Amino acid sequence: VQLQASGGGLVQAGDSLRLSCAASGRMFSSYAMGWFRQAPGKERELVAGISSAGRTYYPDSVKGRFTISRDNAKNTVYLQTNSLKPEDTAVYYCAAVVGFGTVVSGRGDYWGKGTLVTVSS
């Protein structure tokens, strides 16, 4: 599976962005997907996960502000980010993994190049 994230940019605090992750290859619908982010000097962290069946997971830091969804017909997973804060500034990555529990634990098998989100105050 090859993944390509897009949709990042420079926004102001309180704005929204929708990130997309397009996947190539077969069997996309069978993978759990995750969105991760890594800010400068910080460890990578999971911000949203979605199972092959559509079950979702969010850490408390983004719950209520971020929404992950997937369109299996388009081989694409999305991350809607609302009410963005300066601390959301990071490179955002998508990942595919076999098993929802694996992505919730912060791991991925296949990774795409990231897309930079910068939130100004």
Side-chain angles (χ1 to χ4, degrees):
V1 176
Q2 292 184 321
L3 306 170
Q4 179 64 59
S6 62
L10 172 63
V11 297
Q12 294 186 331
D15 285 350
S16 300
L17 278 175
R18 189 175 83 154
L19 309 183
S20 299
C21 175
S24 62
R26 303 169 70 179
M27 306 299 289
F28 168 79
S29 61
S30 67
Y31 287 98
M33 301 294 297
W35 280 98
F36 296 77
R37 68 186 180 188
Q38 187 165 21
K42 296 188 176 181
E43 293 187 354
R44 185 182 65 204
E45 62 174 343
L46 174 72
V47 295
I50 188 167
S51 73
S52 58
R55 182 158 54 119
T56 58
Y57 168 82
Y58 306 94
D60 289 343
S61 58
V62 306
K63 195 174 293 183
R65 299 190 299 122
F66 290 10
T67 302
I68 189 171
S69 60
R70 65 190 299 161
D71 185 337
N72 290 335
K74 295 182 178 180
N75 277 15
T76 302
V77 62
Y78 303 97
L79 183 69
Q80 178 67 43
T81 64
N82 297 329
S83 302
L84 284 164
K85 305 175 182 180
E87 52 264 42
D88 294 319
T89 295
V91 177
Y92 284 70
Y93 300 88
C94 58
V97 64
V98 176
F100 185 54
T102 304
V103 75
V104 169
S105 70
R107 291 177 288 163
D109 293 329
Y110 304 96
W111 294 87
K113 292 183 179 180
T115 186
L116 176 63
V117 173
T118 304
V119 185
S120 63
S121 57

